[in-house]
């Protein structure tokens, strides 16, 4: 049986890390696509990782390209093409530039890999995944965005540090748009099944400390941008994207929060936003609707409104978007 094929559209910081992780995990053959003018980074990174193969014992093929024809037959496309944040920029500042990129990427995927499962990582995430779906015309269940896995991972990391427990025992739930309005849900986040509010009652932490961790989670991307100065996070985003790709390729039916097309659930009709989903061979097989209390629902609604505002801004920039 042929190995699965993974196309990485964008071979920058996240794209290169995705290629390395996909190769190390032997998820399939990897094609790196980029149009960078300052160097042939797609071919350079592809060759560099391939040359690690004999040492690491990796039996997959890597190819760099600037020709969309090379992504033909891809089972998964992970899209990071576009520009990333610099200090002082919000994710939303990237909208105009990255919308144009989504148009060319969407058309490239539609022409050469229409049966693929698309995971978008380009920011501002929820609006870009919506636009990418519109431009590509692929079925909604086959186009999603990575943000919730990363935001939840950040939350889990901070909680594991606070409680001094293994992060393997910490589960966390972050919903809503990937931005300042994201909704970390304490009630649905646990240490081995014990919800965070109970842990506060048990004296493991205080409500003030928990609130500070929630805010740090919301600001997690900006914290890394502030440290790196030259770009944004890439190791954790790439690791999160690979987890979603693996769930699809291996039909794992993982319950993962991701930016999915929500039509009916949560009172929404046709909005891309971060929700719990089941990812398996059918792509986004299900959107899981959880119960929220009034306060959580209000935060979620605010986040949905922020996403809708960005989608409207996209429509204002490109009149071909319906
Ligand atoms: P970077 O290292 O700049 O890589 C982006 C690559 O895209 C560059 O190599 C460009 O040459 C390439 N590119 C630009 N236009 C095109 C095009 N039309 N076709 C093909 N390639 C193109 O950025 P990065 O890898 O650090 O980040 C990529 C994106 O992910 C940015 O938009 C970030 O804001 C975003 N990001 C999202 C998250 C989420 O959690 C959603 C986290 C971190 C970064």
């Amino acid at each position: 049986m042929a190995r699965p094929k993974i196309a990485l559209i964008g071979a920058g910081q996240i794209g290169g890390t995705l290629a390395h992780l996909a190769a190390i995990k032997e998820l399939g053959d990897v094609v790196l696509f980029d149009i960078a003018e300052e160097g042939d980074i797609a071919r350079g990174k592809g060759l560099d990782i391939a040359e690690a193969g004999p040492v690491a014992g990796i039996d997959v093929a890597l190819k760099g390209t600037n020709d969309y024809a090379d992504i033909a037959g891809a089972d998964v496309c992970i899209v990071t093409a576009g520009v990333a944040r610099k200090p002082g920029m919000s994710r939303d500042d990237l909208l105009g530039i990255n919308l144009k990129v989504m148009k060319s990427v969407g058309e490239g995927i539609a022409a050469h890999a229409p049966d693929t499962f698309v995971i978008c990582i380009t920011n501002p995430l929820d609006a870009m995944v919506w636009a990418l779906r519109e431009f590509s015309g692929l079925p909604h269940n086959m186009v999603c965005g990575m943000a919730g896995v990363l935001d939840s991972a950040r939350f889990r990391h901070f909680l594991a540090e606070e409680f001094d427990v293994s992060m393997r025992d910490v589960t966390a739930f972050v919903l809503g748009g990937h931005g300042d309005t994201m909704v970390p849900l304490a009630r649905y986040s646990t240490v081995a099944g014990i919800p965070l509010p109970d842990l506060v009652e048990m004296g493991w932490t205080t409500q003030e400390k928990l609130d500070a961790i929630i805010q740090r989670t919301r600001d997690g991307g900006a914290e890394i941008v502030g440290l790196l100065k030259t770009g944004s996070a890439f190791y954790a985003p790439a690791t999160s994207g690979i987890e979603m790709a693996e769930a699809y390729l291996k039909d794992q039916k993982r319950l993962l929060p991701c930016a999915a097309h929500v039509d009916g659930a949560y009172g929404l009709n046709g909005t891309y936003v971060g929700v719990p989903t089941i990812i398996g061979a059918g792509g986004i097989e299900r959107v899981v609707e959880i119960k929220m209390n009034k306060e959580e629902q209000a935060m979620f609604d605010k986040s949905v409104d922020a996403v809708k505002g960005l989608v409207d801004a996209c429509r204002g920039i490109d009149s071909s978007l319906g």
Side-chain angles (χ1 to χ4, degrees):
M1 197 198 292
R3 286 193 287 255
K5 180 167 172 178
I6 300 156
L8 306 174
I9 315 295
Q13 296 281 59
I14 301 179
T17 313
L18 284 167
H20 196 198
L21 290 171
I24 286 173
K25 289 173 101 56
E26 291 192 318
L27 283 186
D29 292 339
V30 176
V31 175
L32 289 121
F33 174 97
D34 205 292
I35 56 154
E37 283 168 4
E38 59 275 14
D40 197 342
I41 59 166
R43 278 195 190 80
K45 290 187 181 184
L47 182 59
D48 191 15
I49 297 167
E51 288 169 353
V55 187
I58 300 167
D59 263 323
V60 295
L62 290 113
K63 180 186 173 102
T65 184
N66 56 12
D67 182 354
Y68 270 111
D70 287 321
I71 74 164
D75 298 286
V76 173
C77 284
I78 309 183
V79 178
T80 59
V83 294
R85 282 196 287 172
K86 302 260 160 45
M89 288 173 89
S90 76
R91 294 180 180 92
D92 303 355
D93 292 336
L94 308 172
L95 189 94
I97 308 167
N98 286 350
L99 185 62
K100 283 201 193 100
V101 176
M102 290 306 103
K103 190 173 171 70
S104 66
V105 174
E107 290 168 356
I109 291 175
H112 296 281
D115 299 322
T116 196
F117 179 55
V118 179
I119 302 167
C120 179
I121 302 185
T122 303
N123 270 322
L125 193 270
D126 305 86
M128 290 303 102
V129 64
W130 171 82
L132 185 58
R133 208 305 306 170
E134 293 291 310
F135 290 131
S136 68
L138 266 59
H140 287 105
N141 62 306
M142 295 300 275
V143 181
C144 67
M146 187 295 296
V149 174
L150 171 65
D151 296 330
S152 303
R154 286 180 173 148
F155 196 16
R156 287 171 67 190
H157 168 69
F158 300 145
L159 290 169
E161 269 195 330
E162 168 64 9
F163 297 138
D164 195 19
V165 297
S166 165
M167 61 192 84
R168 274 185 283 178
D169 292 327
V170 181
T171 62
F173 230 92
V174 178
L175 301 186
H178 180 61
D180 304 334
T181 58
M182 72 177 78
V183 187
L185 288 179
R187 278 191 322 128
Y188 286 99
S189 305
T190 78
V191 174
I194 310 169
L196 295 185
D198 292 24
L199 291 166
V200 172
E201 271 183 35
M202 288 157 62
W204 277 40
T205 187
T206 61
Q207 189 58 48
E208 290 69 36
K209 280 190 181 165
L210 184 55
D211 290 344
I213 287 173
I214 288 175
Q215 193 53 44
R216 189 173 177 201
T217 302
R218 288 203 178 101
D219 298 337
E223 184 175 359
I224 303 283
V225 171
L227 291 166
L228 295 180
K229 304 276 192 259
T230 52
S232 54
F234 53 99
Y235 292 116
T239 310
S240 305
I242 288 292
E243 184 174 54
M244 292 168 64
E246 191 171 13
Y248 172 75
L249 290 169
K250 297 185 178 170
D251 192 22
Q252 287 173 332
K253 318 259 185 225
R254 295 286 311 276
L255 198 163
L256 298 172
C258 73
H261 184 251
V262 188
D263 198 11
Y266 295 98
L268 299 175
N269 50 0
T271 308
Y272 266 96
V273 70
V275 286
T277 62
I278 303 291
I279 301 183
I284 301 297
E285 296 186 348
R286 263 190 286 161
V287 166
V288 179
E289 190 169 14
I290 57 159
K291 258 194 188 163
M292 285 188 270
N293 64 28
K294 259 192 182 164
E295 198 190 333
E296 293 158 349
Q297 185 70 48
M299 285 195 286
F300 183 74
D301 291 347
K302 191 172 159 206
S303 191
V304 168
D305 284 346
V307 172
K308 283 183 176 166
L310 290 176
V311 166
D312 285 344
C314 291
R315 288 196 175 101
I317 295 169
D318 188 321
S319 55
S320 73
L321 288 166

